[in-house]
Amino acid sequence: QVHLQESGPGLVKPSETLSLTCTVSGGSISSYFWSFIRQPAGKGLEWIGRIHSSGSTNYNPSLMSRASLMSRVTMSIDTSKKQFSLKLTSVTAADTAVYYCAREGPYYYDSSGSDAFDMWGQGTMVTVSS
Amino acid sequence: EIVLTQSPATLSLSPGERATLSCRASQSVTSYLAWYQQKPGQAPRLLIYDASNRATGIPARFSGSGSGTDFTLTISSLEPEDFAVYYCQQRSNWPPLFTFGPGTKVDIK
């Protein structure tokens, strides 16, 4: 049974960088797409981005910095440790949320991945506050 | 970006009743639509993928239908553990972008 576990600081100061890691156990990290998804308290779900075990990434355009016109999101993967990570820069109170890691699945019809998320971590609460 | 709309926002029903939840997309998503159940303090759980396929371990009382822009999740006879929030979710082909609907809360009447 695949298990995902998020870890990282629960409190981040405004303008700093939020960093989270997801550890995969009980199954392979290879050949899958892995995502981070967040949920502000009492609100809906927002997909942040995904990374393939090969290292290729896709990010949600809504998380682009207005100042730099570049994504605030960077994801990386360490297959030897069976971990993937999220960095979100220049955080504000609007980034306060429960952050989930998830696996795309259950089936991959082609190399572009799946259309759903079949495995989820339990989530970790991150608060942005000074 | 494809926007998903769910209705109703809240559905008040009694155990044993049939629940019908709707999800509408702003443009066609073919059959790339999934449904999730979320209970308080828990992560979402995949119920249905590809619009109509039940995920592993999901009871047969849950069924999904639809294609294009209109989709339905049906719970044939509500069990006490089914009272929760339900989200639909779609994936755009390229660039890959996953979006969720705002959710439907099924609560006890």
Side-chain angles (χ1 to χ4, degrees), chain A residues 47-65:
Chain A
W47 177 73
I48 298 170
R50 71 174 188 173
I51 187 165
H52 188 263
S53 56
S54 64
S56 67
T57 55
N58 303 103
Y59 303 138
N60 191 328
S62 71
L63 292 167
M64 187 167 293
S65 165

Side-chain angles (χ1 to χ4, degrees), chain A residues 1-6 22-27 34 119-122:
Chain A
Q1 176 75 0
V2 175
H3 181 71
L4 284 69
Q5 180 68 57
E6 306 89 350
C22 182
T23 301
V24 179
S25 59
W34 303 91
M119 295 291 176
W120 294 66
Q122 67 184 25

Side-chain angles (χ1 to χ4, degrees), chain B residues 86-103:
Chain B
Y86 292 83
Y87 294 96
C88 59
Q89 169 254 308
Q90 69 83 33
R91 178 207 145 164
S92 304
N93 218 21
W94 194 262
L97 177 61
F98 298 83
T99 56
F100 292 85

Side-chain angles (χ1 to χ4, degrees), chain A:
Chain A
Q1 176 75 0
V2 175
H3 181 71
L4 284 69
Q5 180 68 57
E6 306 89 350
S7 59
L11 181 64
V12 183
K13 289 182 167 55
S15 80
E16 294 191 348
T17 297
L18 180 160
S19 296
L20 293 175
T21 295
C22 182
T23 301
V24 179
S25 59
S28 176
I29 196 171
S30 298
S31 303
Y32 286 100
F33 284 96
W34 303 91
S35 285
F36 279 96
I37 296 159
R38 69 181 181 179
Q39 185 174 36
K43 296 189 177 180
L45 297 154
E46 180 182 32
W47 177 73
I48 298 170
R50 71 174 188 173
I51 187 165
H52 188 263
S53 56
S54 64
S56 67
T57 55
N58 303 103
Y59 303 138
N60 191 328
S62 71
L63 292 167
M64 187 167 293
S65 165
R66 294 179 183 176
S68 66
L69 298 181
M70 293 182 64
S71 182
R72 295 168 52 215
V73 179
T74 302
M75 293 180 65
S76 59
I77 192 164
D78 186 336
T79 55
S80 65
K81 293 183 178 179
K82 297 179 72 175
Q83 294 179 332
F84 61 102
S85 299
L86 167 72
K87 290 190 187 301
L88 181 65
T89 61
S90 305
V91 297
T92 69
D95 295 308
T96 294
V98 175
Y99 284 74
Y100 297 100
C101 57
R103 185 184 78 175
E104 273 184 53
Y107 295 112
Y108 288 33
Y109 301 105
D110 56 33
S111 60
S112 68
S114 184
D115 66 335
F117 303 101
D118 65 339
M119 295 291 176
W120 294 66
Q122 67 184 25
T124 187
M125 179 69 203
V126 179
T127 301
V128 179
S129 175
S130 55

Side-chain angles (χ1 to χ4, degrees), chain B residues 12-43:
Chain B
S12 297
L13 295 168
S14 301
E17 289 194 293
R18 182 184 187 89
T20 302
L21 288 67
S22 174
C23 178
R24 178 164 289 179
S26 59
Q27 56 186 281
S28 177
V29 299
T30 59
S31 293
Y32 291 144
L33 191 105
W35 290 93
Y36 300 85
Q37 176 193 69
Q38 187 178 35
K39 297 178 181 179
Q42 296 184 18

Side-chain angles (χ1 to χ4, degrees), chain B residues 1 14 16-17 22 32 37 42-44 47 50 53-54 56 59 62 64 71 74-75 80 89 99 101 107-108:
Chain B
E1 176 182 329
S14 301
E17 289 194 293
S22 174
Y32 291 144
Q37 176 193 69
Q42 296 184 18
L47 300 174
D50 288 355
N53 294 309
R54 274 191 302 277
T56 301
F62 291 92
F71 299 86
T74 302
I75 310 171
Q89 169 254 308
T99 56
D107 64 15
I108 301 176

